[in-house]
Amino acid sequence: EQGRKVVLLSAQGRKFGQSVAREFAGLSELLLICGRYEGVDERVAEHLADEELSVGDFVLSGGELAAAMVIDVVSRLKEGVLGNRDSAVYESFGEDGLLDCPQYTRPAEFRGWKAPEVLLGGNHEEIRQWRLKAAREKTARQRPDLLRK
């Protein structure tokens, strides 16, 4: 049925990521089936589930933790879950595919380590440009594979 999906959590399924989460966030209903230990009867995968989904290349004892991950990632993309609509756009694996820029909180100086001056200046355009540059640099350093996509 349109807008509904039944997903079997399985180490053998399509890999879950932010793009899949955005796809699922557009659904009206998402049913997650969790196996335990050896999984579920193959007929469930063949006849009841629309697809199998994996949260990574590893095996869990059951699908409950995987389901909790999927629920958390998908729900924060739904309207009204986060306080600010843009919070789910400007973060790691957002629409631009980059990691998020480094985050700094108060105080502006901690143990002698200072937050970047540009973040304290109040010029929103300079801050936006700094964040984009810092996100690209962090992505290149931590996850260069994302830049090749």
Side-chain angles (χ1 to χ4, degrees):
E1 190 173 315
Q2 190 97 12
R4 294 178 166 182
K5 189 166 270 200
V6 177
V7 175
L8 172 61
L9 294 156
S10 161
Q12 300 170 0
R14 167 171 73 140
K15 193 169 289 183
F16 182 65
Q18 199 69 23
S19 62
V20 177
R22 281 192 288 273
E23 174 190 324
F24 287 176
L27 299 171
S28 59
E29 290 184 31
L30 178 63
L31 176 78
L32 302 174
I33 300 173
C34 303
R36 191 78 186 139
Y37 299 113
E38 290 297 321
V40 299
D41 189 292
E42 186 63 21
R43 291 168 287 194
V44 172
E46 289 179 17
H47 304 290
L48 297 179
D50 296 312
E51 73 172 284
E52 293 183 53
L53 188 74
S54 171
V55 295
D57 292 338
F58 49 83
V59 178
L60 295 167
S61 296
E64 300 87 358
L65 291 174
M69 289 171 55
V70 171
I71 290 166
D72 185 72
V73 174
V74 172
S75 65
R76 60 191 317 280
L77 297 174
K78 298 292 276 186
E79 184 74 36
V81 172
L82 299 178
N84 181 344
R85 289 181 62 162
D86 291 336
S87 293
V89 175
Y90 302 111
E91 64 182 358
S92 293
F93 311 107
E95 294 171 5
D96 60 9
L98 299 173
L99 296 180
D100 197 2
C101 65
Q103 301 295 317
Y104 294 89
T105 59
R106 292 192 173 128
E109 185 175 331
F110 175 72
R111 294 185 176 180
W113 303 311
K114 295 181 181 182
E117 284 296 322
V118 67
L119 299 179
L120 307 174
N123 184 318
H124 296 289
E125 180 57 24
E126 286 180 7
I127 292 170
R128 187 192 67 75
Q129 289 176 12
W130 178 88
R131 286 181 170 158
L132 180 58
K133 181 177 183 270
R136 286 186 180 129
E137 289 170 352
K138 189 168 191 172
T139 303
R141 189 174 60 254
Q142 299 286 99
R143 292 286 307 276
D145 59 301
L146 295 174
L147 295 174
R148 290 190 281 270
K149 287 183 179 178

